[in-house]
Structures are given as structure tokens and as C-alpha cells.
Amino acid sequence: MHLPINPGRSPRNQLEDRLRNSGDPPKKKHRNPLGSLTVKQQLFLLFLVLGVPLFVLFSYGSWKTENVLKRHVTNAYIELNKQNFILINRDTESINKITSTVIQNPLLQQIDMNGKDSILSRLSTYIKLENTLAGYSQAANGREPNYYSLYIYDPNNYYSFAPNYPEVRKAGVYFFTEDEKPDWYDEAVAKKGNGYLRILDQLSPYSPKEQTLGYVRAINNISQGGTIGVLVVTRMNDKFNEAFRNVSLLEGNIYLTDWDNRVLASTTDETNTMLDLPQEVSPPSKGEGVVDVITSDFIYVMNYNHYLGQKLVYQIPTKSLLQQQKEIKHVMQLISLVYAFAVFVLITYFWRALMTPLQKLAFFVRRYEPGGPVPKLPDNSKDNEVGILIRSTYEMASRLNGMVRNQYEMEIRQREAQLQILYQQINPHLLYNTLESIYWKSELEGSHESAEMIKELSKLMKISLSRGRELITLEEELEHARAYVKLQEHRYEYGCRVSWQLDNQPDVRGTLIPKVTLQPLIENAMIHGVKHMGEDGEIVVSTYEREDRVVIRIEDNGYKKVDFEALEKLLYDENPDHSLGYGIRNVQQRIRLHFGEPFGLSYRPREGGGTVVEMLLPKHSSQAEGEDQDV
């Protein structure tokens, strides 16, 4: 069928009329949805496709990293808390052992509280007990001591002559009547001889108010039953605070509490207050173990011991813990933004132009090792991002090489500084002049023995300091050792003989030796060798030459059994048992630090009984630098 042609319409309109009126509909054209987007929009969409997953992964990774970091840090602090709690319990146990020794003292167990003994006898008993407690309250290693005080209930006032003014920093024996009874006395007696830690606000009703942490233990009569008194050890907070100072908690706090969460000692000023802990940080009603809880603000690690009635709590703020992680997070965000921008720019403009320099950079990074050569930057390097990256990488590698060199030099300087740091904090002139003044005053007062001890001490200190010199001559070191021996003879009146068999050749006497190395060895021979042998004890110090080396031998005829295998491990093992002491290992390390591994100490048994220690040194004689001037 043919449609008529309308001469009044255009050919295009007539064709459309035919298609419209025909039975077959026109085919629809399938278009790409992205085809309607401009190039800029397509690039932006591509950027989103590449960037959004990156940010999602980054957010999830940050969250996961934060949780993992908290858990790992918590686990680390759990182990640290365990070790810290063990040290605190060990200190407490050492105090408990000393109190047990005091309790078993026959003088204390037989003290007369019925008035049967004469006043002179009671006075003698009081003085002996005072001296005993004062002996246990001596300071060690320059630290504040713990003071042992004994409080005895004396209702009939048989010991009225004894002063009753106890102080926190004073040891002594105090007798009190019913009106003078301390408020904590009955509580200690109720513990039936079990020691415990307690905050003491006042030692007695008439003593000055000074708060201290004390270890309190009642003393029971072993043979007759009943309570003799209460033994109090003060300044326990100083001992625990010293253990706390060795722990770093990233702005966190450490609390030692009793079972009711009352703070006994802490790294803050809070003591004798109740520690507010979350409900989750609650130990079981008995036993011992560790509880850790992570909250939004803090990480809590608690080590508890129900038998001792103590808890050690670490409180670490998560803000300070995550501060470094947040900084890394911000850096990663910045890097992610730069990366996204770089991806957008690379896709649109600089793909081919960037491949060659990036390949060169990758090749350099793969083969570069710290300290290795860094290629020279090309003169025609561009100032775009890739050029800056390459330049910065080369500069960073150069700086890293410099840091490696600096680190090596710093390690050398550190070793040198370690040898001098202990001797630069004392002004020798003030010390020598003071000792000299005390010496002449003692001479004028007729205290010749004290004057001689001061003179020997002055000589001991003068050689020990040596104006900062670490190496002195063997002759000076032997003079130092003689001064120490004389001091010990004056102090303890040892009956042992110390003989000196010395090689007086100039090259032997002038051999260089680290100062204060013979004194610890002679001290060991005295204390652990011949201390209780009286006149039968003998120590021989000898020097002689062996080829191009000098040998110093110290031998004693002590009767005690010596574990030479343990001494060998102490001298040569990487992780020795320090319970045997630090002195001889310190001497060994100093000798090897100066002269190398072939030199040092060796121990062996002496024929006929006793111990022989030999020190092997290189025969290196020279004029010591910076000779001391008389002051």
C-alpha cells in the first residue's frame, strides 16, 4: 500500500509520517549511563571509586589497630605488674624475716614485765633492745632506712625510765600505759602475730603527727603465750616508691592498696584514701591473680593476693597511650589524601611522564642500604611532586647515612662517658680539706685511732677519685687497697693477717689498672673467707710478671665451701645470677672494657683450702695523666 505524497509537507515530515503510521515501531538506542557525564565528572567518579574504599579500609584499620595496640600494651603491663608485685612482696617478705629474727631474740622473749628484776637489770635489757633495733635500722646503699620500733604494754610502769616519744625516723623501744596506748595496738594484737601493712597517722598519742606506711606485727611469747608487744617498721612507703620509680606508665599512676582499696602507697600524693575503681576491676574473694580491664578513659591492670590482703593497680590513661597512634593516624590520613590526589593527577595527565623517574626511584630504594652510596641528583630534575619525592628520598638517604655515622660516634662517646660519670659529681678539694680538718681536730682531741682512720679514709677517697682518671698505676691501687685494709682492721679488729708479696720492678708498679678493683676482691676474701677465723686467717696479696702481662693474686685460707661454677657463670654469662653480688662482675666488665676479653678475673681453689683469685692485666706502663695535687 502506498501513501499519497502531500506536496505541502517537507520530505523529512513525510518520512516521519510513514514511520509513525507503519506497523513496525522504531528501535530504541541503548546508551552508556556514563556517556552522559562529562570527562571531569567521569574522572571525579573514578577518583571516588579508588578513594572511598581506601578511606573505608583506613578507618577500619585504624579502629582495629587501636584495639590491638591497647591489648598488646595491656599484656605488656600485665607482665610488668607481675614483676613489680613480686619485687614489692619480696621487700615485704625481707622485712617480715627481720621481724621474725627480732621476735625470736631471747632477750625479748625473756623480758621482765612483772617487776621481778632489779632496775639496773631492766635498764640493761632496755639498752640492749635499743641497740638491737638500731642495728636493724641502719641505712644501706645511701638510701633512707626502715626504722624498727618496739611498743610494749607496761600497765604498772616498771620501765618508767624509758623515754616514750616515738618518731617516724627513729628506732627504739617504747613502754606505754593504758592511757598512752596507740590506737592501732589492739588491731595488731588481734592479727595474732601476722604482719600487715598499715597507714599510721600517729605512732602514739603524744608523738608528733606524721603519716607513714608501717609494717605492723604483734610479738607473742613463744614459751608462755600471750602478747609481749608490737613491732612497727616505718618508712615502708619509701621502699615501695623506689620500686615504683623504675616503672614508666605513660602519664599513668601506680597504687598499692589493701583489700578494701585503701591506698597504702602510690606514685601520687594520694595515701590513706579509697581508690575509686570500676565495677569490672574486682578480684575474686580469695586466691591470687591478675585482672585487666580496658575502659574508654583508662586501662586498669590489677595484681591481687588475698592472703597478703594487697593489690597492685596500674592506671594508664588511654589518651596518652593513643596519642602517638593518633599522630600516626593523622599522618596516614595526610598520606592517603596525597595518594588520592596523586592517583587523580596520574590518571588524567602524567601517567607516562611519571613512570620512568618512578622506576629509577624504585630501583634505588630496592638496592639502597643504610651507609651505602647515594647517587647524585640529576641537574635537570623537575620541581613537580615526583622530582621532590626523588630529591627528598636522596636527601633522606644522605641524612640516614649521617645518622648512622653519628650513632656510631655516640656509642663510642657513651662508653667513654660511662667510665667518668660516677666520678664527676664530687668536689675533691672540698672533700680532702674537710677530712684533713677532721683529722687534725681528732689529733688535737687525743683521738689518735680515729685520726688514723680519717687519714686512711682521706687516702682511700683521694685515690678513688683520682681527679676523674679511670686508669691509675698499680702502685696507687695497692696504696688504696692498703688503706682499705687498715680501715677494716680499725673498724672490725679482724685478727687475720694480710701480707703483701709485691714485685717492685718499675714496669710492674707502673702498670695501669682500673681504679678500685682490688678493694672488692680483698673485701670478699675478708668477709667470705677468713672473717671468723681470728689469727688463723691469712690473706696474701702478690704481684708478679708473666711474659708481657702482670698477674695480681689474692688468696685466702678460708674454710668455707665456694661454688666456683657459680662464680664462673657470674663472670662470663650474659645474664648472670646477681644474687651472688655485683662487685666482682663490675670489676670484670671494667677490665674488659679497657683491655679486652683476654684479660680479667679467674677463680680457683687454693691448695690446702681457701680461694685464689687472679687478675690478669697487660703490662702497659705509662705516666698517669693529671697527677693529684696535695690539698
Side-chain angles (χ1 to χ4, degrees), residues 70-260:
K70 289 181 180 179
R71 175 44 54 192
H72 285 180
V73 171
T74 301
N75 292 339
Y77 280 126
I78 288 175
E79 295 301 321
L80 185 61
N81 187 291
K82 289 180 180 178
Q83 297 300 322
N84 206 184
F85 201 44
I86 290 173
L87 291 176
I88 291 174
N89 290 338
R90 188 176 65 185
D91 291 340
T92 306
E93 180 61 24
S94 66
I95 295 295
N96 185 66
K97 289 181 179 179
I98 295 176
T99 59
S100 298
T101 303
V102 174
I103 291 172
Q104 297 172 5
N105 191 312
L107 190 65
L108 178 58
Q109 288 292 325
Q110 298 172 7
I111 188 170
D112 175 35
M113 296 306 300
N114 299 318
K116 297 180 180 180
D117 295 341
S118 64
I119 294 180
L120 290 178
S121 177
R122 280 176 274 167
L123 178 61
S124 175
T125 301
Y126 165 76
I127 293 174
K128 291 179 181 179
L129 287 176
E130 280 270 339
N131 293 335
T132 300
L133 295 179
Y136 287 114
S137 303
Q138 296 295 325
N141 300 326
R143 297 179 297 182
E144 179 78 13
N146 297 108
Y147 297 91
Y148 291 77
S149 300
L150 179 60
Y151 296 82
I152 300 178
Y153 181 51
D154 185 16
N156 298 317
N157 211 9
Y158 290 133
Y159 291 82
S160 58
F161 54 82
N164 189 16
Y165 299 99
E167 298 179 11
V168 171
R169 292 179 173 85
K170 180 180 177 183
V173 183
Y174 306 100
F175 298 88
F176 59 89
T177 61
E178 183 67 29
D179 295 338
E180 300 170 333
K181 181 186 294 186
D183 56 359
W184 42 262
Y185 184 84
D186 291 335
E187 176 187 276
V189 172
K191 296 288 185 178
K192 298 180 179 180
N194 293 322
Y196 67 102
L197 295 172
R198 189 188 195 281
I199 294 292
L200 303 174
D201 294 320
Q202 192 175 16
L203 294 178
S204 74
Y206 302 106
S207 64
K209 290 186 177 181
E210 182 178 1
Q211 190 179 89
T212 183
L213 177 61
Y215 184 81
V216 185
R217 185 176 181 183
I219 301 177
N220 297 325
N221 193 306
I222 298 175
S223 60
Q224 300 177 5
T227 301
I228 297 175
V230 174
L231 186 62
V232 177
V233 186
T234 60
R235 306 298 296 174
M236 291 294 293
N237 47 316
D238 290 343
K239 182 179 289 292
F240 295 151
N241 289 337
E242 183 177 352
F244 294 162
R245 282 193 293 270
N246 297 327
V247 180
S248 176
L249 291 188
L250 295 174
E251 302 179 4
N253 297 321
I254 305 176
Y255 300 93
L256 178 65
T257 71
D258 59 15
W259 199 252
D260 297 325

Side-chain angles (χ1 to χ4, degrees), residues 190 390 596:
I390 295 174

Side-chain angles (χ1 to χ4, degrees), residues 81 253-255 275 277 300-302 311-315:
N81 187 291
N253 297 321
I254 305 176
Y255 300 93
L275 180 61
L277 295 175
Y300 294 92
V301 178
M302 172 193 292
K311 304 174 187 177
L312 182 62
V313 181
Y314 285 2
Q315 184 187 54

Side-chain angles (χ1 to χ4, degrees), residues 321-598:
L321 176 65
L322 299 177
Q323 183 63 34
Q324 186 176 6
Q325 192 266 349
K326 288 182 179 179
E327 294 176 359
I328 297 175
K329 181 178 179 180
H330 293 159
V331 172
M332 292 178 64
Q333 288 176 343
L334 179 61
I335 293 175
S336 299
L337 292 174
V338 173
Y339 168 77
F341 176 75
V343 169
F344 178 76
V345 174
L346 287 173
I347 291 176
T348 53
Y349 301 105
F350 300 109
W351 178 259
R352 292 183 180 178
L354 298 178
M355 287 303 299
T356 299
L358 286 177
Q359 287 177 347
K360 292 181 179 179
L361 179 62
F363 177 75
F364 165 74
V365 172
R366 280 196 299 268
R367 67 183 180 86
Y368 171 74
E369 294 182 357
V374 179
K376 184 179 179 181
L377 191 67
D379 296 333
N380 59 348
S381 60
K382 298 180 181 180
D383 292 331
N384 55 21
E385 290 79 2
V386 177
I388 294 174
L389 179 61
I390 295 174
R391 188 184 301 109
S392 300
T393 303
Y394 287 175
E395 292 174 355
M396 181 179 64
S398 300
R399 290 196 299 269
L400 183 58
N401 289 347
M403 291 174 63
V404 171
R405 290 191 296 269
N406 292 339
Q407 180 67 21
Y408 176 73
E409 295 173 358
M410 287 178 62
E411 290 179 355
I412 295 178
R413 295 193 192 100
Q414 184 179 9
R415 285 197 172 190
E416 296 174 350
Q418 288 174 349
L419 301 175
Q420 302 298 331
I421 192 170
L422 295 177
Y423 308 104
Q424 296 176 353
Q425 300 178 1
I426 302 176
N427 188 333
H429 295 285
L430 175 62
L431 180 61
Y432 301 157
N433 292 337
T434 303
L435 290 176
E436 186 72 12
S437 299
I438 299 174
Y439 166 73
W440 284 112
K441 181 173 177 59
S442 300
E443 282 285 352
L444 293 175
E445 292 177 352
S447 301
H448 301 295
E449 184 175 356
S450 298
E452 286 300 319
M453 292 181 68
I454 295 170
K455 184 177 180 181
E456 296 299 333
L457 175 61
S458 177
K459 185 185 301 182
L460 196 71
M461 297 301 296
K462 184 174 182 180
I463 298 175
S464 297
L465 294 174
S466 304
R467 290 184 177 268
R469 291 180 296 145
E470 171 63 16
L471 294 177
I472 60 176
T473 63
L474 179 57
E475 185 175 12
E476 292 175 305
E477 179 64 16
L478 288 170
E479 184 180 359
H480 177 273
R482 287 193 185 95
Y484 170 76
V485 171
K486 290 181 180 179
L487 276 177
Q488 296 302 308
E489 290 175 348
H490 283 298
R491 181 182 179 187
Y492 297 108
E493 298 183 357
Y494 287 124
C496 66
R497 302 184 305 277
V498 180
S499 58
W500 308 82
Q501 301 176 3
L502 308 178
D503 189 336
N504 291 321
Q505 296 184 21
D507 55 346
V508 175
R509 290 187 291 109
T511 296
L512 294 181
I513 181 175
K515 60 186 175 184
V516 196
T517 51
L518 295 183
Q519 179 266 328
L521 306 181
I522 296 176
E523 181 180 9
N524 284 344
M526 285 184 171
I527 296 177
H528 304 293
V530 300
K531 182 176 182 180
H532 301 291
M533 295 179 64
E535 295 181 355
D536 294 331
E538 181 179 11
I539 299 175
V540 180
V541 181
S542 58
T543 62
Y544 59 90
E545 184 179 355
R546 181 193 296 170
E547 297 179 354
D548 59 342
R549 300 175 180 180
V550 173
V551 179
I552 305 171
R553 176 185 297 169
I554 300 173
E555 55 182 295
D556 62 79
N557 63 343
Y559 62 90
K560 295 182 180 179
K561 184 178 181 180
V562 179
D563 189 348
F564 292 98
E565 183 178 353
L567 288 174
E568 194 77 11
K569 292 181 179 179
L570 180 64
L571 292 176
Y572 298 106
D573 280 8
E574 291 293 333
N575 299 307
D577 180 8
H578 290 294
S579 63
L580 297 175
Y582 292 89
I584 62 174
R585 181 169 179 84
N586 179 271
V587 172
Q588 174 83 339
Q589 291 178 332
R590 290 171 59 206
I591 294 175
R592 292 198 165 186
L593 183 63
H594 284 289
F595 305 124
E597 290 193 0

Side-chain angles (χ1 to χ4, degrees), residues 3-6 9-22:
L3 295 175
I5 295 176
N6 187 353
R9 293 174 63 84
S10 64
R12 179 179 178 181
N13 291 335
Q14 293 179 14
L15 179 60
E16 290 177 353
D17 291 339
R18 288 182 180 181
L19 292 175
R20 191 181 300 113
N21 295 325
S22 64

